[in-house]
Amino acid sequence: MNPVHGTLVHEMIHMFDYCKHKMDFRNIRHLACTEIRAANIAHCSYLAGLMHGSVSLVALKQQHAECVADRATWAVSMVRKLSYAEARNIVESVFTRCYNDLEPIGRRIKPRSNDAELALSEGVQLGYDHYL
């Protein structure tokens, strides 16, 4: 996924959360959750980890989760002007539930894969058939 596509998907996850889940940007846990979801679905790919130097084949799944938590923590700390430690505590308080929520795409989008096309074709199963 190129940087423009990644940014658009990231922001569309925030838009989806605001519209569908009635996200309240004043609620810091809501903010942390949407940042976790956006980082999980649109960022923190294996390729990005290789380029960043933070990926090994030994603990790939844990490294992905750490990438998501770190990116969400950074975003929450910037938006709310909190220390990294304060933001990390908030991210960790909602991490599991929000990390496992892949709606509306239903999967993490990997670069150079057909994940986007699969997600579109699976839309009917997820109740998004009105877009087709």
Side-chain angles (χ1 to χ4, degrees), residues 18-68:
Y18 178 78
C19 294
K20 173 90 186 228
H21 299 299
K22 309 293 187 239
M23 189 183 84
D24 178 2
F25 283 101
R26 295 169 296 187
N27 183 325
I28 198 160
R29 284 180 173 68
H30 287 198
L31 174 64
C33 189
T34 196
E35 291 297 346
I36 290 165
R37 287 176 26 73
N40 188 20
I41 294 170
H43 304 292
C44 296
S45 70
Y46 177 73
L47 182 61
L50 280 177
M51 292 171 60
H52 187 261
S54 61
V55 168
S56 80
L57 294 174
V58 178
L60 192 57
K61 185 174 182 178
Q62 293 83 2
Q63 289 171 339
H64 180 267
E66 179 55 35
C67 173
V68 170

Side-chain angles (χ1 to χ4, degrees), residues 22-130:
K22 309 293 187 239
M23 189 183 84
D24 178 2
F25 283 101
R26 295 169 296 187
N27 183 325
I28 198 160
R29 284 180 173 68
H30 287 198
L31 174 64
C33 189
T34 196
E35 291 297 346
I36 290 165
R37 287 176 26 73
N40 188 20
I41 294 170
H43 304 292
C44 296
S45 70
Y46 177 73
L47 182 61
L50 280 177
M51 292 171 60
H52 187 261
S54 61
V55 168
S56 80
L57 294 174
V58 178
L60 192 57
K61 185 174 182 178
Q62 293 83 2
Q63 289 171 339
H64 180 267
E66 179 55 35
C67 173
V68 170
D70 186 58
R71 190 170 180 112
T73 299
W74 176 83
V76 169
S77 70
M78 292 292 120
V79 170
R80 289 300 181 90
K81 311 245 186 296
L82 300 174
S83 72
Y84 185 88
E86 291 170 316
R88 185 61 179 239
N89 285 336
I90 293 159
V91 166
E92 288 177 358
S93 74
V94 298
F95 188 80
T96 301
R97 181 178 58 81
C98 301
Y99 182 76
N100 291 324
D101 181 358
L102 299 175
E103 190 180 16
I105 297 172
R107 64 180 66 241
R108 293 174 186 96
I109 305 297
K110 295 182 281 304
R112 291 189 209 90
S113 73
N114 64 345
D115 287 338
E117 291 83 11
L118 286 172
L120 181 61
S121 70
E122 294 167 346
V124 174
Q125 297 167 340
L126 297 171
Y128 301 115
D129 58 335
H130 59 279

